[in-house]
Amino acid sequence: MYLLLSYIYIFSSRNLASWLSLEDWLFVGDNGAVEVASPDDATAAACLPPLHLDESSGPRWNSETDLLSGLAEHYRKQMEDEDSISGSTLGGYPNDKTQSLGGWGKAIKAIHAFRSSYYDIEQELQTMNELGIKYVRVPVSWCWTDYDPSSLITKDESREGESDDDSWIYMSDEEVKEKFTCKDPFHDDVYWPAIPRNFMIRFLRACAKYNIGATIDIHTYPGGTSIGTFSGVWPRYSKFWTEGDVPATDNNKKPDVGRKLLKEFIQWLESLETDDPMAFKGFRALSPMNEPAHLAGLYNGEDPIRTDRETFLPPLPKEMAQQYLSDLNKGLDKQPKLTQVPDGNHLRVFLWLSDAIDAFRQSKLPQLGKELTINVHESVFPADVLPKEDVKSDYGLNTASMQVFGAWWRASTTSDERSKWAVLDIHHYMAWGPQCSGAVKGSPTGRYACSDKETKAQVLSKCATWASVYRSTLEDECGKGLRLASAEFSSSTHHSVRHACNDLSTLETMFESQVNEARDADVELFYWAYKMPYGGAFRSAWSLKHLLYLMGVLSQPDEEIFHCGDHTPPLGEPKDGSI
């Protein structure tokens, strides 16, 4: 037990994933776990407990905007099709439209019920504190509200003494959409469920109470900055760069939605210093964008891997790109050992992140001890723009993308900033890529078979050195003393859960080898995710809470309270599961 706990103290950070920014694969239920990155034609998520448990209480869903509209439509149809006795009771009984929330109000109620019940904040943070956990990363969406969901249904004090059925005021759908959703400016008829600011403030206060610092990670933006279910708009294609950044950055024809949202969020964080000092104490860092333009490299370059549709990350205008490159690579002709940033579509992401750094730099937050974590992802590059390595790398230790990120980081921050408040973050999973993955049947699905102890030990010992390679490569570009993080990693050996190794010995080795190497390299790790009770077979390798239970550290497993996707309603249960 002491040995196991020592690993937890070494590794003191984790992600409160899919809570305030939803991802489908954490809600597949006991029988739905297949792929972490859901295929384009799959709709994986089956629930959002406690009010949405299966297809009788709501739709299957791809992303949180898909879920919100699907729930609203589900409740609307119930109100139209069912009589008042058997109908929905969510937000009003009986199902009289004048005595009930509409479909959008009920959808917001269902999402807030999830948000407010998924974590027992006080208990969870106290447990983290006892385990020695110092930091959490909280992925959030861009959509916020100053209104409290309790105002969806209010008591009509002027009708005191009358029947209870007549003394409640239900917010109209029009008002609900105005106060509790954000309309996506780049996708027609797409709405995001807003996060109440007071909800986050209460969470930050609790973090301060238990001496835990929270990194707020803006995981999604309007239009979607990447492709995939975590974009928030899937199955719709990413439009943040093409319809948001291009018109604003290239020709000033439209307002710059993304940069404006970020600046306003920074201003709100600044205001907490005086408006709510306890919440401000619980706030540690801001991460302005998660995995920017993830997978854009598949669509770009001289010979794109995917040609099924136009790229979602267009290049900067030629003159703008050349000027930006000149600024980034200034003086490097006299320093041949340093990497130069290459031309390519990735410059659009680099420019946006540079502006994010500058917005944070100009705020009061650095002087107040707060940090900025900049996340980048190597999939933004097509292979043909990266430096050619003299020796072919193995075990996932390719440094080409790290060199380019280091070159950009060196030009975008000062040495003093890199040692104090500017943190570079590169996510790293062994579950993707043939050089480090393991599978139950071995090659070619994985580099080793789960049961092959000798080969497994050799591969994992080599692959775990990624953290030290990350450190040394960035120091070669930026010098000593810079702060580095990998804000997402897991114990999974393969992205397909049916191929992955789920035996405890492999999971422990995956966890311990990565944590030890990161400790020695001074790279801060955040496990993805802290919990996922509705993730079915994904839990063993992706839920830290469940892994710690399997390892004997925690006494309770990460298990679901409700059945997800296969709930069997008893006779007479209201269709939305409420009472």
XYZ file of all heavy atoms in Angstrom, residues 16-103:
658
model
N -10.778 16.444 -14.588
C -12.188 16.231 -14.293
C -12.926 16.261 -15.635
O -13.590 17.223 -15.998
C -12.703 17.305 -13.334
C -11.947 17.440 -12.010
C -12.670 18.389 -11.074
C -11.750 16.092 -11.335
N -12.749 15.161 -16.354
C -13.134 15.111 -17.762
C -14.631 14.899 -17.955
O -15.300 14.282 -17.137
C -12.361 13.985 -18.451
N -15.127 15.406 -19.077
C -16.505 15.212 -19.542
C -17.528 15.527 -18.459
O -18.473 14.780 -18.221
C -16.698 13.782 -20.060
O -17.707 13.741 -21.043
N -17.315 16.669 -17.839
C -18.230 17.184 -16.816
C -18.839 18.494 -17.316
O -20.047 18.599 -17.484
C -17.452 17.385 -15.512
C -18.208 18.003 -14.380
C -19.515 17.810 -14.058
C -17.680 18.921 -13.409
N -19.841 18.543 -12.932
C -18.733 19.231 -12.513
C -16.422 19.486 -13.188
C -18.565 20.103 -11.431
C -16.258 20.343 -12.110
C -17.314 20.647 -11.243
N -18.000 19.458 -17.616
C -18.471 20.746 -18.130
C -18.144 20.915 -19.608
O -18.347 21.980 -20.182
C -17.870 21.883 -17.304
C -18.199 21.821 -15.804
C -17.557 22.979 -15.059
C -19.705 21.800 -15.568
N -17.614 19.880 -20.216
C -17.432 19.787 -21.666
C -17.544 18.302 -21.991
O -16.664 17.519 -21.634
C -16.070 20.346 -22.092
O -15.879 20.193 -23.487
N -18.614 17.915 -22.650
C -18.965 16.497 -22.754
C -18.269 15.797 -23.920
O -18.096 16.374 -24.989
C -20.473 16.340 -22.920
C -21.332 16.846 -21.754
C -22.812 16.729 -22.097
C -21.011 16.082 -20.471
N -17.899 14.536 -23.676
C -17.377 13.656 -24.729
C -18.165 12.355 -24.695
O -18.393 11.773 -23.630
C -15.884 13.405 -24.546
C -15.069 14.666 -24.676
C -13.573 14.413 -24.806
O -13.188 13.291 -25.230
O -12.794 15.325 -24.494
N -18.530 11.884 -25.862
C -19.475 10.779 -25.973
C -19.001 9.476 -25.344
O -19.765 8.758 -24.701
C -19.816 10.543 -27.444
C -18.604 10.155 -28.287
O -17.464 10.511 -27.918
O -18.795 9.505 -29.334
N -17.723 9.141 -25.484
C -17.268 7.801 -25.122
C -17.256 7.551 -23.621
O -17.126 6.402 -23.180
C -15.895 7.521 -25.736
C -14.781 8.428 -25.311
C -14.561 9.710 -25.721
C -13.718 8.105 -24.409
N -13.435 10.215 -25.126
C -12.887 9.251 -24.331
C -13.367 6.972 -23.671
C -11.743 9.289 -23.535
C -12.220 7.015 -22.887
C -11.423 8.157 -22.825
N -17.439 8.585 -22.819
C -17.543 8.403 -21.374
C -18.956 8.043 -20.938
O -19.215 7.830 -19.759
C -17.085 9.657 -20.635
C -15.560 9.816 -20.467
C -14.911 10.251 -21.768
C -15.230 10.805 -19.367
N -19.884 7.912 -21.919
C -21.277 7.621 -21.607
C -21.825 6.517 -22.511
O -22.947 6.591 -22.992
C -22.112 8.896 -21.736
C -21.646 9.990 -20.823
C -20.760 10.960 -21.281
C -22.046 10.029 -19.502
C -20.297 11.954 -20.435
C -21.595 11.019 -18.648
C -20.710 11.982 -19.113
N -21.013 5.492 -22.708
C -21.423 4.390 -23.591
C -22.095 3.256 -22.833
O -22.688 2.364 -23.445
C -20.221 3.848 -24.383
C -19.686 4.904 -25.336
C -19.117 3.366 -23.437
N -21.979 3.228 -21.503
C -22.581 2.172 -20.714
C -21.780 0.885 -20.720
O -20.723 0.779 -21.347
N -22.300 -0.111 -20.032
C -21.580 -1.369 -19.858
C -21.306 -2.092 -21.166
O -20.304 -2.794 -21.299
C -22.365 -2.306 -18.929
C -22.254 -1.895 -17.469
O -21.343 -1.107 -17.153
O -23.076 -2.345 -16.661
N -22.199 -1.944 -22.128
C -22.090 -2.753 -23.353
C -21.659 -1.957 -24.581
O -21.608 -2.522 -25.671
C -23.440 -3.424 -23.638
C -23.906 -4.282 -22.486
O -23.125 -5.038 -21.919
N -25.181 -4.164 -22.131
N -21.330 -0.670 -24.422
C -21.095 0.153 -25.604
C -19.665 0.532 -25.891
O -19.378 1.217 -26.882
N -18.711 0.131 -25.030
C -17.327 0.569 -25.208
C -16.668 -0.133 -26.383
O -16.591 -1.362 -26.420
C -16.527 0.306 -23.932
N -16.170 0.646 -27.336
C -15.456 0.099 -28.485
C -14.216 0.936 -28.763
O -13.097 0.526 -28.494
C -16.347 0.038 -29.755
C -15.561 -0.576 -30.911
C -17.610 -0.776 -29.484
N -14.423 2.144 -29.303
C -13.328 3.020 -29.711
C -13.353 4.311 -28.910
O -14.419 4.908 -28.715
C -13.429 3.364 -31.198
C -12.924 2.290 -32.134
C -11.396 2.298 -32.230
O -10.778 3.280 -31.819
O -10.844 1.291 -32.718
N -12.171 4.773 -28.464
C -12.082 6.051 -27.779
C -12.493 7.174 -28.728
O -13.291 8.054 -28.371
C -10.657 6.287 -27.245
C -10.523 7.691 -26.681
C -10.320 5.251 -26.172
N -11.949 7.174 -29.922
C -12.345 8.148 -30.939
C -13.436 7.505 -31.783
O -13.164 6.690 -32.661
C -11.146 8.536 -31.805
N -14.677 7.860 -31.499
C -15.806 7.206 -32.158
C -15.708 7.375 -33.673
O -15.416 8.471 -34.162
C -17.125 7.797 -31.671
O -17.246 7.663 -30.268
N -15.933 6.313 -34.436
C -15.918 6.419 -35.895
C -16.929 7.446 -36.393
O -17.917 7.745 -35.715
C -16.294 4.996 -36.346
C -15.950 4.115 -35.194
C -16.187 4.943 -33.963
N -16.673 7.973 -37.596
C -17.512 9.040 -38.137
C -18.986 8.660 -38.209
O -19.866 9.511 -38.057
C -17.029 9.433 -39.535
C -15.680 10.133 -39.498
O -15.135 10.306 -38.390
O -15.168 10.498 -40.577
N -19.274 7.397 -38.461
C -20.665 6.980 -38.663
C -21.296 6.382 -37.407
O -22.379 5.796 -37.473
C -20.748 5.973 -39.811
C -19.876 4.745 -39.572
O -19.087 4.749 -38.607
O -19.982 3.783 -40.355
N -20.632 6.511 -36.250
C -21.145 5.928 -35.013
C -21.730 7.006 -34.110
O -21.235 8.127 -34.067
C -20.033 5.186 -34.279
N -22.785 6.655 -33.406
C -23.336 7.511 -32.360
C -23.227 6.722 -31.069
O -24.055 5.866 -30.773
C -24.801 7.883 -32.657
O -24.873 8.492 -33.951
C -25.327 8.854 -31.628
N -22.175 6.992 -30.310
C -21.773 6.093 -29.233
C -22.476 6.338 -27.912
O -22.813 5.403 -27.191
C -20.256 6.178 -29.036
N -22.671 7.615 -27.538
C -23.193 7.919 -26.199
C -24.655 7.512 -26.078
O -25.467 7.784 -26.973
C -23.034 9.395 -25.895
N -24.987 6.871 -24.942
C -26.326 6.322 -24.765
C -27.110 6.973 -23.636
O -28.290 6.678 -23.470
C -26.234 4.816 -24.507
N -26.464 7.862 -22.857
C -27.150 8.380 -21.674
C -26.511 9.682 -21.215
O -25.451 10.076 -21.704
C -27.079 7.353 -20.536
S -25.395 7.098 -19.888
N -27.136 10.338 -20.255
C -26.564 11.412 -19.454
C -27.314 11.391 -18.123
O -28.254 12.152 -17.911
C -26.674 12.780 -20.124
C -25.807 13.855 -19.437
C -24.344 13.692 -19.814
C -26.287 15.258 -19.767
N -26.914 10.497 -17.230
C -27.635 10.329 -15.962
C -27.592 11.605 -15.115
O -26.715 12.434 -15.297
C -26.861 9.193 -15.279
C -26.200 8.463 -16.403
C -25.824 9.540 -17.379
N -28.548 11.764 -14.211
C -29.541 10.768 -13.814
C -30.858 10.799 -14.597
O -31.645 9.864 -14.480
C -29.815 11.144 -12.357
C -29.642 12.633 -12.326
C -28.496 12.911 -13.263
N -31.142 11.827 -15.384
C -32.459 11.946 -16.004
C -32.541 11.339 -17.393
O -33.636 11.049 -17.870
C -32.889 13.423 -16.047
C -33.045 14.098 -14.685
C -33.519 15.531 -14.849
C -34.006 13.315 -13.796
N -31.412 11.157 -18.045
C -31.412 10.524 -19.365
C -30.624 9.218 -19.257
O -29.408 9.233 -19.100
C -30.787 11.468 -20.393
C -30.580 10.848 -21.747
N -31.314 9.768 -22.194
C -29.705 11.151 -22.749
C -30.908 9.445 -23.419
N -29.935 10.272 -23.767
N -31.336 8.101 -19.341
C -30.708 6.807 -19.109
C -30.651 5.919 -20.345
O -29.797 5.029 -20.429
C -31.443 6.053 -17.995
C -31.498 6.758 -16.639
C -32.249 5.895 -15.634
C -30.099 7.078 -16.135
N -31.551 6.105 -21.293
C -31.560 5.261 -22.487
C -32.455 5.914 -23.533
O -32.861 7.068 -23.380
C -32.024 3.838 -22.157
C -33.408 3.799 -21.524
O -34.189 4.747 -21.749
O -33.704 2.838 -20.795
N -32.796 5.188 -24.575
C -33.551 5.785 -25.678
C -34.991 6.111 -25.299
O -35.667 6.839 -26.026
C -33.504 4.867 -26.896
C -32.110 4.784 -27.494
C -32.056 4.010 -28.800
O -33.096 3.950 -29.481
O -30.985 3.478 -29.132
N -35.480 5.605 -24.165
C -36.821 5.974 -23.719
C -36.836 7.346 -23.055
O -37.876 7.990 -22.953
C -37.363 4.924 -22.744
O -36.679 4.984 -21.498
N -35.665 7.810 -22.599
C -35.605 9.089 -21.880
C -34.813 10.151 -22.630
O -34.630 11.254 -22.128
C -34.983 8.882 -20.494
O -33.718 8.259 -20.586
N -34.334 9.841 -23.827
C -33.582 10.811 -24.612
C -32.825 10.125 -25.731
O -32.831 8.897 -25.858
N -32.119 10.911 -26.552
C -31.463 10.354 -27.735
C -30.069 9.805 -27.439
O -29.447 10.139 -26.429
C -31.345 11.582 -28.640
C -31.112 12.703 -27.657
C -31.957 12.370 -26.455
N -29.566 8.962 -28.320
C -28.131 8.721 -28.384
C -27.505 10.001 -28.935
O -28.161 10.777 -29.639
C -27.812 7.525 -29.280
C -28.400 6.211 -28.781
C -27.985 5.054 -29.659
N -26.574 4.741 -29.484
C -26.085 3.898 -28.560
N -26.908 3.279 -27.736
N -24.790 3.665 -28.466
N -26.217 10.234 -28.640
C -25.660 11.525 -29.021
C -24.168 11.444 -29.336
O -23.459 10.554 -28.881
C -25.925 12.567 -27.950
C -25.518 12.202 -26.550
C -26.232 11.465 -25.654
C -24.304 12.575 -25.877
N -25.553 11.350 -24.466
C -24.363 12.018 -24.572
C -23.186 13.314 -26.242
C -23.338 12.190 -23.637
C -22.166 13.491 -25.308
C -22.246 12.934 -24.022
N -23.720 12.412 -30.153
C -22.318 12.519 -30.570
C -21.534 13.542 -29.768
O -20.363 13.341 -29.472
C -22.218 12.916 -32.050
C -22.780 11.880 -32.978
O -23.880 12.037 -33.489
N -22.048 10.810 -33.199
N -22.171 14.682 -29.484
C -21.484 15.807 -28.845
C -22.508 16.568 -28.019
O -23.713 16.286 -28.088
C -20.852 16.726 -29.890
O -21.849 17.250 -30.763
N -22.046 17.567 -27.250
C -22.998 18.191 -26.334
C -24.033 19.069 -27.033
O -25.163 19.185 -26.552
C -22.285 18.959 -25.238
C -21.490 20.173 -25.626
C -20.840 20.787 -24.385
O -19.973 20.137 -23.779
O -21.199 21.915 -24.048
N -23.705 19.658 -28.172
C -24.738 20.402 -28.904
C -25.740 19.434 -29.525
O -26.941 19.718 -29.586
C -24.119 21.286 -29.993
O -23.318 20.483 -30.889
C -23.232 22.359 -29.386
N -25.252 18.313 -29.983
C -26.108 17.262 -30.519
C -27.046 16.745 -29.425
O -28.244 16.540 -29.638
C -25.203 16.133 -31.035
C -25.958 15.010 -31.704
O -26.873 15.304 -32.474
O -25.611 13.833 -31.459
N -26.501 16.571 -28.221
C -27.303 16.120 -27.081
C -28.372 17.141 -26.708
O -29.547 16.784 -26.502
C -26.390 15.868 -25.879
C -27.087 15.629 -24.540
C -27.865 14.320 -24.560
C -26.070 15.630 -23.395
N -27.990 18.414 -26.606
C -28.941 19.452 -26.194
C -30.134 19.522 -27.138
O -31.292 19.507 -26.705
C -28.237 20.805 -26.121
C -29.126 22.014 -25.799
C -29.809 21.848 -24.445
C -28.313 23.303 -25.846
N -29.875 19.596 -28.427
C -30.986 19.694 -29.384
C -31.802 18.410 -29.403
O -33.031 18.444 -29.547
C -30.457 20.010 -30.791
O -29.588 18.984 -31.249
N -31.123 17.266 -29.245
C -31.838 15.994 -29.229
C -32.756 15.857 -28.031
O -33.883 15.360 -28.143
N -32.284 16.305 -26.857
C -33.127 16.272 -25.667
C -34.324 17.209 -25.821
O -35.457 16.849 -25.471
C -32.318 16.676 -24.436
C -31.371 15.640 -23.838
C -30.516 16.267 -22.747
C -32.137 14.437 -23.297
N -34.082 18.418 -26.343
C -35.177 19.370 -26.518
C -36.249 18.808 -27.454
O -37.454 18.927 -27.185
C -34.639 20.696 -27.057
N -35.812 18.162 -28.519
C -36.761 17.571 -29.462
C -37.493 16.389 -28.828
O -38.695 16.200 -29.037
C -36.023 17.132 -30.726
C -36.893 16.484 -31.790
C -37.922 17.427 -32.393
O -37.879 18.644 -32.118
O -38.799 16.934 -33.140
N -36.774 15.594 -28.056
C -37.376 14.441 -27.373
C -38.503 14.902 -26.440
O -39.612 14.349 -26.472
C -36.302 13.698 -26.575
C -36.822 12.632 -25.673
N -37.137 11.373 -26.129
C -37.106 12.637 -24.334
C -37.584 10.638 -25.121
N -37.570 11.381 -24.030
N -38.231 15.927 -25.630
C -39.241 16.404 -24.696
C -40.396 17.096 -25.427
O -41.558 16.986 -25.017
C -38.615 17.355 -23.680
C -37.633 16.683 -22.759
C -36.370 17.239 -22.528
C -37.936 15.489 -22.114
C -35.456 16.625 -21.675
C -37.025 14.868 -21.277
C -35.794 15.438 -21.059
O -34.898 14.825 -20.229
N -40.084 17.786 -26.517
C -41.146 18.445 -27.291
C -42.131 17.414 -27.829
O -43.360 17.592 -27.746
C -40.544 19.239 -28.444
C -41.569 20.034 -29.265
C -40.970 20.567 -30.548
N -40.610 19.495 -31.465
C -41.485 18.842 -32.242
N -42.792 19.147 -32.189
N -41.074 17.894 -33.065
N -41.594 16.322 -28.368
C -42.468 15.292 -28.922
C -43.309 14.637 -27.830
O -44.487 14.323 -28.049
C -41.631 14.237 -29.646
C -41.078 14.702 -30.978
C -40.316 13.587 -31.673
C -39.833 14.025 -33.051
N -39.074 12.940 -33.731
N -42.709 14.438 -26.652
C -43.478 13.862 -25.550
C -44.664 14.748 -25.204
O -45.779 14.273 -24.973
C -42.591 13.699 -24.316
C -41.722 12.460 -24.322
C -41.057 12.235 -22.981
O -40.951 13.162 -22.170
N -40.595 11.022 -22.744
N -44.424 16.043 -25.159
C -45.488 16.965 -24.769
C -46.590 17.022 -25.825
O -47.757 17.252 -25.510
C -44.914 18.356 -24.539
C -43.939 18.408 -23.378
S -43.160 20.018 -23.193
C -44.529 20.967 -22.535
N -46.222 16.775 -27.081
C -47.220 16.804 -28.148
C -47.984 15.495 -28.252
O -49.178 15.480 -28.547
C -46.539 17.091 -29.490
C -46.086 18.519 -29.665
C -45.500 18.757 -31.044
O -45.313 17.767 -31.788
O -45.228 19.919 -31.377
N -47.278 14.397 -27.991
C -47.849 13.093 -28.313
C -48.529 12.391 -27.153
O -49.318 11.478 -27.365
C -46.752 12.165 -28.855
C -46.142 12.695 -30.135
O -46.767 13.569 -30.751
O -45.041 12.241 -30.506
N -48.209 12.766 -25.911
C -48.721 11.991 -24.785
C -49.774 12.761 -24.000
O -49.771 13.992 -23.950
C -47.563 11.601 -23.865
C -46.549 10.698 -24.562
C -45.361 10.416 -23.681
O -45.333 10.929 -22.548
O -44.460 9.697 -24.126
N -50.652 12.020 -23.376
C -51.666 12.677 -22.564
C -51.088 13.077 -21.216
O -49.983 12.691 -20.853
C -52.898 11.787 -22.378
C -52.564 10.471 -21.685
O -51.917 10.508 -20.624
O -52.959 9.411 -22.207
N -51.806 13.847 -20.466
C -51.267 14.454 -19.249
C -50.977 13.453 -18.154
O -50.215 13.737 -17.241
C -52.233 15.514 -18.718
O -53.469 14.910 -18.386
N -51.585 12.279 -18.213
C -51.372 11.314 -17.135
C -50.066 10.562 -17.316
O -49.277 10.400 -16.387
C -52.552 10.322 -17.055
C -53.830 11.075 -16.693
C -52.270 9.224 -16.034
C -55.069 10.200 -16.688
N -49.788 10.089 -18.544
C -48.573 9.291 -18.780
C -47.390 10.138 -19.195
O -46.313 9.629 -19.427
C -48.839 8.249 -19.866
O -49.136 8.889 -21.094
N -47.576 11.441 -19.310
C -46.536 12.301 -19.868
C -45.382 12.606 -18.944
O -45.314 12.156 -17.813
N -44.473 13.412 -19.455
C -43.279 13.807 -18.719
C -43.633 14.637 -17.496
O -44.567 15.420 -17.509
C -42.375 14.626 -19.636
O -41.403 15.301 -18.897
N -42.853 14.488 -16.431
C -43.028 15.317 -15.240
C -41.817 16.192 -14.987
O -41.712 16.801 -13.938
C -43.252 14.429 -14.003
O -42.078 13.668 -13.754
C -44.433 13.522 -14.190
N -40.893 16.235 -15.905
C -39.679 17.015 -15.696
C -39.997 18.503 -15.817
O -40.177 19.027 -16.900
C -38.619 16.625 -16.729
C -37.279 17.340 -16.619
C -36.638 17.052 -15.275
C -36.357 16.918 -17.740
N -40.083 19.170 -14.671
C -40.353 20.602 -14.682
C -41.829 20.931 -14.627
O -42.224 22.059 -14.880
N -42.679 19.979 -14.279
C -44.083 20.304 -14.157
C -44.978 19.089 -14.251
O -44.733 18.200 -15.050
N -46.007 19.044 -13.414
C -46.951 17.944 -13.466
C -48.340 18.497 -13.195
O -48.520 19.287 -12.275
C -46.613 16.879 -12.419
C -47.481 15.652 -12.533
C -47.141 14.634 -13.405
C -48.670 15.547 -11.786
C -47.958 13.527 -13.527
C -49.492 14.436 -11.898
C -49.125 13.426 -12.775
O -49.926 12.323 -12.909
N -49.369 18.127 -13.953
C -49.314 17.215 -15.094
C -48.696 17.875 -16.326
O -48.255 19.015 -16.248
C -50.786 16.885 -15.324
C -51.509 18.127 -14.879
C -50.726 18.620 -13.700
N -48.725 17.173 -17.441
C -48.026 17.641 -18.637
C -48.868 18.650 -19.420
O -49.078 18.521 -20.607
C -47.674 16.438 -19.509
C -46.540 16.761 -20.453
O -45.991 17.846 -20.427
N -46.200 15.809 -21.288
N -49.342 19.631 -18.733
C -50.079 20.737 -19.328
C -49.046 21.789 -19.727
O -48.252 22.239 -18.908
C -51.053 21.299 -18.298
C -51.834 22.489 -18.824
O -51.481 23.022 -19.891
O -52.795 22.885 -18.135
N -49.060 22.210 -20.996
C -48.027 23.135 -21.468
C -48.006 24.440 -20.668
O -46.982 25.090 -20.574
C -48.245 23.426 -22.950
C -47.981 22.226 -23.848
C -48.235 22.572 -25.307
C -48.090 21.350 -26.186
N -48.377 21.653 -27.608
N -49.120 24.810 -20.106
C -49.131 26.037 -19.306
C -48.590 25.795 -17.901
O -48.364 26.732 -17.154
C -50.563 26.595 -19.193
O -51.380 25.654 -18.482
C -51.142 26.846 -20.572
N -48.421 24.538 -17.518
C -47.918 24.190 -16.197
C -46.648 23.362 -16.307
O -46.474 22.374 -15.601
C -48.987 23.412 -15.424
C -50.202 24.238 -15.063
C -49.858 25.321 -14.056
O -49.041 25.116 -13.170
N -50.470 26.485 -14.194
N -45.781 23.748 -17.203
C -44.577 22.947 -17.416
C -43.547 23.748 -18.186
O -43.877 24.674 -18.930
C -44.935 21.688 -18.217
O -43.764 20.980 -18.577
N -42.289 23.378 -18.004
C -41.251 23.871 -18.898
C -41.472 23.282 -20.278
O -42.042 22.190 -20.422
C -39.865 23.464 -18.393
C -39.324 24.158 -17.151
C -38.079 23.447 -16.649
C -39.028 25.627 -17.422
N -40.971 23.974 -21.299
C -40.989 23.431 -22.648
C -39.823 22.486 -22.870
O -39.042 22.180 -21.962
N -39.668 22.037 -24.101
C -38.616 21.084 -24.420
C -37.225 21.587 -24.108
O -36.382 20.846 -23.566
